Amino acid sequence: MKNTYAYLRIALVTILAYFVLDWVVDTGTEYTYAEHPILWGVVVFVFLFAMAIEYSVEALNSILYRAMDEEKRAKYDAATAEAKANQFAGLKRIYKKLLGSRPIEEEGEIILDHNYDGIKELDNKLPPWWLYGFYVTIIFGVIYMAKYHIFQGADQATEFEIQMEEARIAVEAYKAQAKDLVDASTVVMLTNAADLSAGKNRFEKNCAVCHKPDGGGLTGPNLTDEYWILGGGISNVFTTISKGGRPGKGMVNWNRTFTPNEIAQLASYVLSMQGSNPPDALPADGELWVDPNAGSEAVESELEASEVINDSTATAGISMN
């Protein structure tokens, strides 16, 4: 193809096909061509089809040109040469106007009296493109000064803080919808009735066989007291359920069975059984769990209760002996 417009038409058709397919096959937030790679094949087909049309038109013109007699061929060549000479004529005129140069024939009108060893100086004006660019920078400087130094517009640091706050809000909103992004470091105690009901249902189907339906413990430890083998609190219980208990103790890791949100529901239900004191519960096992985020008074009361239990256990042991 010898015509520049032919290449432009092919590029335009291909780009148009790309955006039309992206608009028609809407996949929401996903990138259309990543979700449906076959669309790349459609774009390539459109590109090849456009090239085939251009080559076909060029071949047809060549056949018609060869079928002309000498006189018509000469007129056609002259018209083609004239069209080629006038190609991008508008852009060429704008380019020459922006340069602001004078033809060599007119240099005598702008020559100065300066003469040094035969070297003469021309009184050329500044190129319009340079002059207009200078005017634009002056206007920009005035607007910039007025916005940031007179009307106290938000500078880059302020804009950054605003964007970071907007991003934080967007992340929080996304996390609220994508509950399965929760992990041990971000999990919180769920108190919603629906979440606790789901956790109870999951506990009775999967955990009651080892811990009893009331959590009093069977082959697994008692879950209703304040003593924990691997630590209490929502974060530790979430980790224990997700990764499993101590090696060789039978507790499997449930992260392949439950989603993070389901584990959070189950952990919240387990903690909701604290202090229920079911009948025939197993004795306390592990260490007394004291929430590090609790107040000092709560910590002291927990320690005092632990000391009372230990003293009672020691006294009972002496009596039995």
Side-chain angles (χ1 to χ4, degrees), residues 44 78 88 91 238 272 274 321:
V44 172
F88 306 115
L91 294 177
F238 182 94
S272 71
Q274 292 283 283
N321 290 335

Side-chain angles (χ1 to χ4, degrees), residues 201-211 254 257-258 266:
N201 182 55
R202 200 162 290 110
F203 180 88
E204 292 176 347
K205 289 182 178 180
N206 301 276
C207 309
V209 65
C210 294
H211 298 279
W254 292 97
T257 306
F258 302 143
L266 180 55

Side-chain angles (χ1 to χ4, degrees), residues 192-208 212-214 262-273:
N192 185 280
D195 290 325
L196 294 178
S197 177
K200 178 181 179 181
N201 182 55
R202 200 162 290 110
F203 180 88
E204 292 176 347
K205 289 182 178 180
N206 301 276
C207 309
K212 296 174 65 173
D214 57 13
E262 291 172 342
I263 295 177
Q265 292 173 338
L266 180 55
S268 298
Y269 174 72
V270 169
L271 291 175
S272 71
M273 294 190 293

Side-chain angles (χ1 to χ4, degrees), residues 1-10 84 87-88:
M1 292 180 293
K2 300 178 181 179
N3 192 346
T4 304
Y5 291 110
Y7 292 103
L8 294 177
R9 284 193 294 268
I10 292 173
K84 188 174 182 180
Q87 192 175 23
F88 306 115

Side-chain angles (χ1 to χ4, degrees), residues 30 32 52 65 71 125 143 251-252 281 293 308 311 313 317:
E30 295 292 333
T32 303
Y65 179 80
E71 182 179 355
K125 296 181 179 179
I143 295 174
M251 172 86 173
V252 300
N293 297 322
V308 170
D311 292 341
T313 303

Side-chain angles (χ1 to χ4, degrees), residues 221 227-231 246 285-287:
Y227 289 79
W228 296 87
I229 299 173
L230 297 176
R246 295 167 295 174
D285 190 7
E287 298 180 357

Side-chain angles (χ1 to χ4, degrees), residues 13 15 40 58-59 61 82 106 121 145 160 215 263 283 302 317:
V13 169
I15 294 172
W40 286 112
E58 186 174 350
N61 289 335
E82 182 180 358
E106 300 178 6
E121 181 180 357
M145 182 183 66
F160 175 77
I263 295 177
E302 294 288 352

Side-chain angles (χ1 to χ4, degrees), residues 10 17 50 57 63-64 66 86-87 139 165 171 184 195 219 284 290:
I10 292 173
V57 171
I63 294 173
L64 294 176
R66 294 174 185 275
N86 294 330
Q87 192 175 23
I139 296 173
E165 180 63 20
V171 169
D195 290 325
T219 57
V290 178

